[in-house]
Amino acid sequence: MNFELLKPAISEITEHALLSNEEKLKNICQFLQQNISYYNWVGFYFANHETQTLHLGPYVGAETDHTVIPFGKGICGQVAESNANFVVPDVAAQDNYIACSFTVKSEIVVPLFVDGINIGQIDIDSHVINPFSAADERFLEFVNEQVATLF
């Protein structure tokens, strides 16, 4: 996967003057799911620091019951506390994993920072074991840098 070829489209989405931020985030999710074969569920969670919870934002993929996740719970909740990327090559081997679907085999979560504060994250599930590389991490960090300009 040549992620460099995808970067201009991400920038174009975030810079689109006629779309709301919600529409931009949804379009990014759709773009990623359509252009990266192993990105089967793509979504954003946003932090409420007062309640120490994450709240589901725009996403594409199978419906999820996990619309609110406490900090520390599951992969997303751990990223809310650690402020670090978390790659799970095989969710079956992960102790603190919130199962979304039996089809999910791996997950990557990359925090979203605005002015140095972790305001949320991009969360991606895959139906493939161990598809995520350092290149995915760097690309998703770029995606989040672009998304951060919306806030």
Side-chain angles (χ1 to χ4, degrees):
M1 171 57 53
N2 186 343
F3 291 111
E4 291 303 313
L5 297 175
L6 303 180
K7 286 182 176 182
I10 297 296
S11 298
E12 189 175 305
I13 292 169
T14 59
E15 294 166 6
H16 196 291
L18 300 178
L19 296 177
S20 69
N21 283 354
E22 181 112 350
E23 291 170 317
K24 290 175 185 181
L25 293 172
K26 181 80 166 194
N27 287 352
I28 288 170
C29 293
Q30 290 171 334
F31 178 80
L32 294 175
Q33 186 191 50
Q34 291 168 356
N35 286 280
I36 304 171
S37 63
Y38 52 94
Y39 283 21
N40 301 112
W41 189 98
V42 181
F44 289 93
Y45 281 92
F46 291 97
N48 180 324
H49 290 281
E50 287 182 25
T51 61
Q52 297 284 285
T53 52
L54 294 165
H55 297 263
L56 183 61
Y59 74 94
V60 296
E63 286 197 33
T64 180
D65 292 334
H66 304 118
T67 59
V68 178
I69 299 173
F71 283 16
K73 182 138 173 76
I75 308 310
C76 292
Q78 290 177 74
V79 169
E81 292 186 331
S82 72
N83 297 322
N85 298 350
F86 199 150
V87 179
V88 181
D90 181 357
V91 297
Q94 185 66 36
D95 290 339
N96 191 9
Y97 174 70
I98 301 172
C100 295
S101 164
F102 69 91
T103 59
V104 176
K105 304 297 184 207
S106 57
E107 182 174 13
I108 185 171
V109 180
V110 177
L112 170 59
F113 296 98
V114 174
D115 298 326
I117 298 169
N118 182 348
I119 68 154
Q121 55 205 224
I122 189 168
D123 177 22
I124 298 173
D125 293 340
S126 179
H127 298 164
V128 179
I129 289 182
N130 198 24
F132 304 116
S133 68
D136 289 276
E137 286 188 74
R138 300 297 81 79
F139 175 65
L140 293 172
E141 288 167 356
F142 168 83
V143 170
N144 279 353
E145 287 168 10
Q146 297 300 300
V147 169
T149 65
L150 304 176
F151 297 93

